[in-house]
Structures are given as C-alpha cells and as structure tokens.
Amino acid sequence: MAAAALRARLNAHISTMYAQGVVEEETFEQLREDGTATELARLFINEAYEILHDIDIRMEEPEVDIDEVEALTQQLMECASSVGAQQVKLACMHFGDFLCNKMQTRVPCVIGSC
C-alpha cells in the first residue's frame, strides 16, 4: 500500500478515535507535534497490558487485596492521562466505583472519586 494511502487511513483512524472520545485530541496532537506520540502510545499499550494482567491475577485470588488493586488501577489511570486515553481513565473510575460497592468498604475509595 502506498505511503499516502497508509497516512490517509491513519488520519481517518485518529479522527475516529477523537470523535468517539477514545483519546483527547489536544493531548494527542501535542504528542504528535513533539514527535513522541508513537513511542508513548507503544509504551502505554505495553504498560497497560501489564497492569491489567496484574489486576486480573489479584482479582482471582481468594482474598482480594483492595489496596493493591486500587493502586494498580490508579497507576493505569495515570498512564492513560499521559496519552490522553479518556475512555481508559473513565473505565478505571467505573471499576473503582464497582470495587467500592462490591467490597462494601467503609474506607473512602480514591479511584472512584477522581
């Protein structure tokens, strides 16, 4: 496929991500202008995968350590913010609310209140 056609497909995909709120346009455009968007997106995907894997393992334990899961979810939210991944951040907030409700803790939940 010609470079121009690939660039057009990439731009169309990025526009769709903006329209759907997957990424924040201002943040991602700044990363593109700085020439760091590709590398930061790659790092985010790899780190997010590892964090989600760690959360999955901890959620499967007989006794879930809420503090560990909450810390990992907070870490994922911070990573998502660095690349403008709004939907990931929102999903983390909803997950935090779920954890607080599911575990019925009396301790204030840091994640859900972000």
Side-chain angles (χ1 to χ4, degrees), residues 71-91:
L72 287 166
T73 306
Q74 185 68 36
Q75 183 181 355
L76 183 57
M77 281 179 54
E78 291 168 7
C79 292
S81 293
S82 70
V83 295
Q86 297 294 2
Q87 294 295 325
V88 173
K89 184 177 177 182
L90 183 61

Side-chain angles (χ1 to χ4, degrees), residues 88-108:
V88 173
K89 184 177 177 182
L90 183 61
C92 288
M93 291 169 50
H94 289 296
F95 181 65
D97 290 341
F98 165 78
L99 280 178
C100 289
N101 292 331
K102 180 78 173 170
M103 300 305 167
Q104 298 177 359
T105 61
R106 297 195 189 275
V107 178

Side-chain angles (χ1 to χ4, degrees), residues 60-76:
E60 292 295 323
E61 293 175 355
E63 298 235 357
V64 177
D65 184 337
I66 296 299
D67 292 333
E68 283 186 28
V69 173
E70 193 171 31
L72 287 166
T73 306
Q74 185 68 36
Q75 183 181 355
L76 183 57

Side-chain angles (χ1 to χ4, degrees), residues 43-55:
L43 290 172
F44 167 72
I45 290 167
N46 290 335
E47 190 164 350
Y49 175 82
E50 289 177 22
I51 294 169
L52 289 169
H53 178 72
D54 290 346
I55 290 171

